[in-house]
Amino acid sequence: MAKDVIIACDFASAAQTLTFLDRFPEGEKPFVKIGMELFYAAGPEIVREIKRRGHRIFLDLKLHDIPNTVRKTMRVLSSLDVDMTNVHAAGTIEMMKAALEGLTREDGTRPLLIAVTQLTSTSEERMQQELLIGATINETIVKYAQNACEAGLDGVVCSPLEAGMVKQACGAAFMTVTPGIRFADAAADDQVRITTPARAREIGSDYIVVGRPIAAADDPVAAWRRCRKDFLNL
Ligand code: C5P
């Protein structure tokens, strides 16, 4: 399975994003993540422009709606030719199956589809008290990953510290895409359950999503290269 570093382009405008990507030399095209902030600010055109520049894109919009709406929305996202996109596993197996149908193009090709299990910002206490979910957070993560697997999805977004548990439950081929990555010598920012690129590889992450350690670095290209070197063991 292809493993790589995905840079979270958490910028508020197309101009800022393109200025950032301009720093990378021709021939070095990082895999990038476009989230809700940038997509809602700059629209589908920023996706097309970044594709034109030759990057692979993870469109992180975390869809969660009735199956019919998700199916039709995924058809639109698929036509943007993104490489990976996602839904919330909490939308149920039926919704995840509908997402997969919508994403699949007439020729049978489709972007990778992964599911968010539990957001890493959700604590076990809040999940149990506010959402009335009686299980432990790890039990829900494993169950949601199994549901995603049953629906035919390619993998899940989870904390790198949960990647091993997901692989054990769903098999080695089931992808884990993991944010919460920091260099050993760097600040954690607001992330809590973090690990290093090298440790994420050891635990079994297939893709690591890295934002501020690259985007806010003095030399983002050097930080991206360091991250790839550590994660891919180059
Ligand atoms: O800057 P940092 O490396 O913390 O960025 C991590 C990226 O991954 C952000 O875009 C954040 O929204 C995203 N993310 C996360 N935790 C999740 C899901 C997504 O940090 N559970």
Side-chain angles (χ1 to χ4, degrees):
M1 186 184 309
K3 292 196 175 225
D4 211 341
V5 172
I6 302 177
I7 304 179
C9 285
D10 293 326
F11 299 109
S13 72
Q16 275 177 293
T17 308
L18 297 177
T19 302
F20 171 72
L21 293 178
D22 280 342
R23 299 181 71 158
F24 289 82
E26 199 52 47
E28 286 188 280
K29 299 284 183 187
F31 198 141
V32 302
K33 177 172 92 72
I34 298 177
M36 289 186 224
E37 182 189 11
L38 181 58
F39 190 76
Y40 291 144
E45 189 46 35
I46 187 64
V47 175
R48 294 193 191 98
E49 176 57 26
I50 294 175
K51 276 308 278 189
R52 267 196 295 275
R53 290 167 171 235
H55 297 269
R56 283 172 295 157
I57 296 178
F58 167 23
L59 189 55
D60 179 21
L61 298 182
K62 301 187 177 72
L63 301 195
H64 188 175
D65 209 319
I66 60 171
N68 187 51
T69 301
V70 169
R71 182 186 298 106
K72 292 194 300 180
T73 306
M74 282 298 183
R75 200 163 291 147
V76 175
L77 300 186
S78 189
S79 74
L80 288 176
D81 197 25
V82 296
D83 298 275
M84 184 188 294
T85 189
N86 60 359
V87 291
H88 270 284
T92 75
I93 293 174
E94 189 193 353
M95 190 207 74
M96 290 190 272
K97 283 184 174 167
L100 209 52
E101 277 172 27
L103 265 192
T104 307
R105 306 181 185 107
E106 275 184 10
D107 63 2
T109 63
R110 65 168 174 81
L112 292 168
L113 181 62
I114 59 179
V116 177
T117 53
Q118 286 289 358
L119 292 170
T120 45
S121 52
T122 305
S123 69
E124 185 163 275
E125 191 187 5
R126 280 178 188 272
M127 183 191 79
Q128 293 177 341
Q129 289 178 3
E130 292 179 21
L131 308 181
L132 298 183
I133 295 174
T136 66
I137 199 139
N138 282 351
E139 282 167 343
T140 65
I141 289 164
V142 166
K143 179 62 178 161
Y144 284 15
Q146 286 169 330
N147 289 352
C149 193
E150 189 181 327
L153 270 62
D154 302 295
V156 289
V157 186
C158 60
S159 146
L161 306 175
E162 292 149 7
M165 184 172 86
V166 168
K167 292 275 185 187
Q168 211 169 16
C170 303
F174 193 66
M175 274 174 28
T176 54
V177 178
T178 65
I181 302 293
R182 289 296 179 269
F183 292 119
D185 52 7
D189 302 311
D190 56 349
Q191 295 281 19
V192 181
R193 307 189 62 199
I194 56 170
T195 195
T196 62
R199 184 72 192 123
R201 178 191 69 243
E202 289 162 11
I203 307 172
S205 296
D206 295 295
Y207 290 92
I208 54 173
V209 176
V210 186
R212 286 159 290 181
I214 295 176
D218 291 336
D219 185 344
V221 178
W224 171 69
R225 287 181 185 143
R226 176 185 176 194
C227 213
R228 290 193 89 224
K229 185 171 175 292
D230 292 357
F231 179 58
L232 302 173
N233 204 14
L234 298 174

